Amino acid sequence: MRFSQHIIKTTKEAPSGEQSKNAELLIRAGYIDKTMAGVFTLLPLGLKVLNNITRIIREEMETLGAEEVLMPALQPKEFWDATGRWETMDVLYRVHSPDGSHEFGLGPTHEEVVTPLVKRFLLSYRDLPRSIFQIQTKFRFEPRAKSGILRGREFMMKDLYSFHTTEEDLLSYYERAAEAYFRVYERVGLSALKVRASGGAFSDFSHEFQVIADCGEDLIFYCDRACGFAENKEVATVAEGDVCPTCSAGTILSSKAVEVGNIFPLYNKFTEAFDVSVKNQEGEDVRVLMGCYGIGCTRLLGTVVEVMADEKGLVWPDSIAPYQIHLVQLGSDEAVSAMAEDVYLQLRTKGVSVLFDDRADVKAGEKFADADLMGIPRRVVISSKTVGAASVEVKHRATGETALVPVQQFLDAPYV
Ligand code: ATP
Ligand code: MG
């Protein structure tokens, strides 16, 4: 992509009224635009990052054996009446048809749709276990939408639902789902803790995946020896400074954290409400047991920003970066232009993803500031100085490490 053809511009000014670091940086760097509180457009760069995140999530869900579906956001009120949540769910957008004859919920989550859906397909114990997931827009009227894309009123979530005949099967799947979640977080460059949390109105308990960060809205207690003990304050049995009850060696620390995922063993909570059962081997009806598993895809994007950004701007890990290389041409004399165009073309031919700052009327300082702000992993400069040395200057965004690399060597191994 040529910067000169790119629809988006960076800005020096922080948007007024935006308090969160993630939204401030993403808006300034041209990744997102704020439509209103809690509602954002993903611009070309932001969408590329989100697509990389959802690709990783998809791969891990498929490895887990789940099949992808796409359920509707517009949901009949009757489904919400069946679970009683039409009356009780405070974040649910309730909308009606133009003639006022019908009411709908705008999906904040999909238990009310997925449970009657699977009822039509799960008939006998031979049909179980099964699991389906989707990556889809959710709507929640969040009372406080002040955390940028960490808390949207419209946001992207991956939600997975699993169905089982026995508790043992449900719980073993639940553990495998947790392992898949850890792989997702690791691949997007985050270190998450699996934290015991309340099950809300859903179940006795749940597990949240929490990333330690100052901007987080949760408070968690966890073992400093990384033995795996971690609890959300809302269900905590320990206090800061206690000896860890699990390993007896570590000390309990506390921290603010961002909830980037939540998994619930729902048991029969929704299958009761929709009367979902299957025939067992003896031909008797048994209640289907269920689990649900969510990851906030856009929140994950915002969390990477919060955790990795530095004073100059965004910093992306390779796995989710919008481009791998930010090629910067300095000056427009013939030799420089020729080499920059040639390198750009050769990288494209090799299938390397590259943003080419070919803007003619922009000074070096501004190009460098933009590269730092946008956070693409490798900045590659071509100037009269590098042309003289038949080289390019490669600078790693995360470490600041810089090297002059002979052009051919760079083209042979551009990701080094
Ligand atoms: P929170 O406690 O932060 O309000 P939640 O517990 O209500 O979140 P869940 O219903 O567990 O959220 O949703 C699954 C996942 O979706 C969460 O773990 C989080 O990563 C993400 N998520 C929830 N609400 C939002 C939101 N308003 N904006 C962006 N992501 C969200
Ligand atoms: Mg949650």
Side-chain angles (χ1 to χ4, degrees), residues 152-171:
R153 289 184 170 151
E154 176 178 332
F155 60 97
M156 195 67 81
M157 193 202 285
K158 184 284 301 175
D159 41 334
L160 163 73
Y161 304 88
S162 72
F163 303 90
H164 311 267
T165 41
T166 65
E167 176 176 16
E168 193 191 356
D169 194 47
L170 166 62
L171 295 179

Side-chain angles (χ1 to χ4, degrees), residues 355-367:
L355 178 68
F356 177 23
D357 193 346
D358 60 340
R359 293 174 297 173
D361 49 352
V362 178
K363 294 211 168 64
E366 201 177 317
K367 288 193 172 187

Side-chain angles (χ1 to χ4, degrees), residues 182-399:
F182 276 127
R183 286 194 295 275
V184 168
Y185 302 124
E186 195 187 314
R187 288 180 65 185
V188 304
L190 291 174
S191 155
L193 290 165
K194 182 178 160 205
V195 177
R196 193 174 169 92
S198 111
F202 274 5
S203 52
D204 294 343
F205 67 91
S206 74
H207 286 92
E208 294 169 345
F209 292 82
Q210 296 273 2
V211 172
I212 288 174
D214 285 342
C215 66
E217 295 182 21
D218 284 274
L219 189 69
I220 62 164
F221 295 102
Y222 61 100
C223 176
D224 68 352
R225 297 280 174 99
C227 73
F229 178 88
E231 289 179 342
N232 192 306
K233 178 173 178 272
E234 62 187 18
V235 296
T237 58
V238 293
E240 184 156 16
D242 283 1
V243 172
C244 173
T246 302
C247 70
S248 309
T251 305
I252 298 300
L253 302 178
S254 77
S255 176
K256 285 180 163 183
V258 182
E259 180 196 321
V260 289
N262 203 177
I263 61 177
F264 298 81
L266 295 171
Y267 288 89
N268 60 2
K269 167 84 186 159
F270 290 92
T271 52
E272 245 349 291
F274 289 100
D275 189 23
V276 186
S277 51
V278 292
K279 297 273 183 227
N280 68 10
Q281 249 158 317
E282 285 73 46
E284 300 152 348
D285 284 335
V286 290
R287 186 63 77 211
V288 170
L289 303 180
M290 181 173 169
C292 74
Y293 317 80
I295 292 184
C297 310
T298 36
R299 183 178 290 184
L300 205 49
L301 193 162
T303 306
V304 172
V305 173
E306 293 280 348
V307 171
M308 298 195 186
D310 62 20
E311 66 288 344
K312 292 179 183 151
L314 302 170
V315 179
W316 299 112
D318 286 6
S319 59
I320 61 170
Y323 292 98
Q324 293 303 317
I325 285 169
H326 193 135
L327 180 65
V328 179
Q329 175 182 338
L330 293 189
S332 49
D333 72 62
E334 227 170 275
V336 171
S337 296
M339 182 162 152
E341 289 291 335
D342 182 50
V343 166
Y344 177 57
L345 204 75
Q346 292 208 46
L347 288 174
R348 300 248 342 220
T349 309
K350 282 171 178 276
V352 175
S353 76
V354 47
L355 178 68
F356 177 23
D357 193 346
D358 60 340
R359 293 174 297 173
D361 49 352
V362 178
K363 294 211 168 64
E366 201 177 317
K367 288 193 172 187
F368 289 158
D370 276 350
D372 283 340
L373 178 61
M374 294 165 92
I376 293 167
R378 298 159 196 81
R379 187 188 81 188
V380 175
V381 173
I382 295 179
S383 64
S384 49
K385 189 182 111 193
T386 72
V387 169
S391 297
V392 297
E393 185 202 74
V394 181
K395 182 175 180 190
H396 286 263
R397 176 65 182 87
T399 60

